[in-house]
Amino acid sequence: MQSLGTLEDLPQSYRDKLTELNLVPLWPNMRAVLPHKVPSRKTQTLNWRFDKLRPLLIEAGDLTPIEKAERRVLVLANPGHGLANMQATPSIYMGLQLILPGETAPNHRHTPNAVRIIIEGKGATTIVDGEPCIMERGDLILTPSGKWHQHQHDGGTAIVWLDILDLPLMYQLESSWAIEGKPQTTTLERDKSFAEYSAAGVVPEFDFQRASVDSPMLRYPWTKTRACLLEMAQHYGDRPLRITYVNPETGSSLFPSIGFGAMMLRPGETLPIPKRTTACVFHIVEGQGSLKVDTNDSIHWTEKDTLSAPGYTEITISNASTTEPAFIITADEAPLHRYLGIF
Ligand code: 1HN
């Protein structure tokens, strides 16, 4: 590879004149923005262990009342991106949110798309544009770009969930903003959209929209996804057990930015995930095992943990149990990469 001229090769007086006119020579920076063969990646492989994190989240409940937080969240920040930038991957934000019994996280709407994956606790509801969505372990609750949402918790113990947003992307696009709203009144039946789309291949006749980029189904219950993976296992021999979450009307990803999926690892199974361009995150719903990225040391994971891994890597994920399956929810930037033609 040809080595290129550096900034220091240029006379200071010339560099000063460039700066004065807001100009930068490309050639000293060329290799940094366009490395040969493999892109540079800031995303580090890591595990935010739930057992370590949980006490700090519970402590946040004592330290900061909901009125002072709006959303009481500890952000899973990937140090590779700089902690203050609150990125798990280039375009994925993740955080663990705590709501105590009786609390309400007030109504608002914003440009970033969000999904919540429930980790523990029962009795909370997110109202999305008037529709109350029940929140149970492993469920995906969608609040697509622009939809009003508020959370309220009527259960007896703290509820904790994982928020996944395309916030870093929206922020980078200088398009991240929110509006606060008056508390919503419930205008639709509980889990209306889930009821309408609860049977694959069947859609409600009068509300069928076909073209929307947002999924019309707002709650994807874990019990259904888990049962589907177990059913697939009956038919799949030893092929990988993976599903993709889709908009039930269009078959496209839940959001244009982030794709969601789930996988089941059979007892003792090791699944190689072929090299792909996108960074990804893993949330462990059930089980324990390890994650290996390229030739790095394996990272151990267990139930409720959340992990990240950079793109352009070979990932191997293994179930350490020889008797129980493991279930994992994944999120990645594949929809965006496909749109850009780089996947
Ligand atoms: C947000 O609206 C929620 O609605 C959670 O629960 C986390 C992080 C950044 C920006 C908006 C929520 C968020 C957020």
Side-chain angles (χ1 to χ4, degrees):
M1 198 197 316
Q2 177 92 38
S3 75
L4 302 176
T6 68
L7 205 54
E8 291 68 37
D9 293 340
L10 302 169
Q12 187 62 50
S13 58
Y14 177 74
R15 285 151 65 183
D16 291 346
K17 277 185 265 179
L18 291 181
T19 305
E20 183 69 22
L21 295 176
N22 300 311
L23 296 170
V24 169
L26 173 60
W27 58 98
N29 304 300
M30 184 85 176
R31 300 282 188 248
V33 293
L34 207 57
H36 278 192
K37 299 210 171 116
V38 177
S40 54
R41 285 139 300 157
K42 295 180 184 167
T43 306
Q44 292 177 9
T45 303
L46 66 116
N47 183 5
W48 289 272
R49 286 177 48 176
F50 189 73
D51 63 344
K52 298 230 163 175
L53 216 156
R54 189 180 186 281
L56 294 173
L57 191 60
I58 298 298
E59 200 176 338
D62 295 331
L63 295 172
T64 307
I66 194 81
E67 297 75 23
K68 288 279 175 197
E70 196 168 312
R71 298 295 190 263
R72 192 191 286 113
V73 175
L74 293 180
V75 179
L76 309 186
N78 195 306
H81 290 279
L83 291 182
N85 291 319
M86 301 195 297
Q87 288 163 276
T89 73
S91 52
I92 297 177
Y93 156 104
M94 296 197 289
L96 287 196
Q97 180 161 173
L98 170 75
I99 305 210
L100 299 173
E103 287 182 340
T104 296
N107 190 31
H108 72 182
R109 62 194 189 116
H110 43 67
T111 46
N113 292 283
V115 158
R116 346 238 148 241
I117 302 175
I118 318 312
I119 300 183
E120 60 180 37
K122 274 200 179 74
T125 306
T126 294
I127 306 179
V128 187
D129 273 2
E131 177 178 331
C133 297
I134 309 296
M135 308 176 89
E136 290 177 355
R137 175 69 187 135
D139 291 354
L140 265 55
I141 309 290
L142 275 55
T143 58
S145 181
K147 291 203 189 293
W148 291 107
H149 55 283
Q150 72 190 49
H151 314 296
Q152 60 201 51
H153 185 28
D154 302 319
T157 54
I159 188 158
V160 174
W161 65 69
L162 175 67
D163 290 307
I164 301 187
L165 285 80
D166 54 12
L167 179 70
L169 177 71
M170 292 291 182
Y171 187 76
Q172 187 66 34
L173 295 174
E174 299 183 350
S175 295
S176 179
W177 59 287
I179 313 178
E180 289 177 29
K182 292 198 296 271
Q184 288 184 64
T185 48
T186 297
T187 53
L188 298 167
E189 300 79 28
R190 222 162 161 248
D191 279 333
K192 170 184 179 281
S193 65
F194 168 62
E196 290 172 323
Y197 294 93
S198 59
V202 175
V203 298
E205 180 167 354
F206 297 110
D207 287 340
F208 190 26
Q209 307 169 42
R210 280 193 177 87
S212 173
V213 296
D214 296 329
S215 173
M217 187 161 106
L218 300 174
R219 174 174 175 227
Y220 289 69
W222 175 247
T223 52
K224 294 270 179 186
T225 305
R226 188 182 191 279
C228 172
L229 287 163
L230 284 167
E231 183 67 26
M232 281 166 65
Q234 300 295 314
H235 303 273
Y236 258 51
D238 58 5
R239 279 183 292 150
L241 296 166
R242 299 185 69 176
I243 59 94
T244 302
Y245 288 94
V246 295
N247 174 330
E249 292 188 347
T250 62
S252 51
S253 55
L254 298 189
F255 302 139
S257 48
I258 307 178
F260 292 84
M263 62 173 85
M264 172 178 146
L265 298 174
R266 302 169 181 88
E269 181 173 1
T270 289
L271 181 69
I273 299 177
K275 205 178 255 198
R276 75 261 155 260
T277 54
T278 171
C280 58
V281 299
F282 302 89
H283 176 71
I284 314 302
V285 186
E286 268 177 60
Q288 51 180 297
S290 59
L291 179 90
K292 190 168 171 62
V293 176
D294 288 338
T295 55
N296 302 328
D297 292 343
S298 296
I299 297 188
H300 175 75
W301 46 259
T302 188
E303 207 167 289
K304 303 180 183 178
D305 289 352
T306 304
L307 300 94
S308 63
Y312 292 81
T313 56
E314 261 150 27
I315 296 180
T316 310
I317 189 155
S318 306
N319 181 357
S321 169
T322 53
T323 54
E324 303 300 323
F327 293 92
I328 300 167
I329 296 176
T330 62
D332 65 27
E333 294 152 336
L336 206 50
H337 283 221
R338 286 205 169 86
Y339 180 72
L340 296 171
I342 59 168
F343 185 75

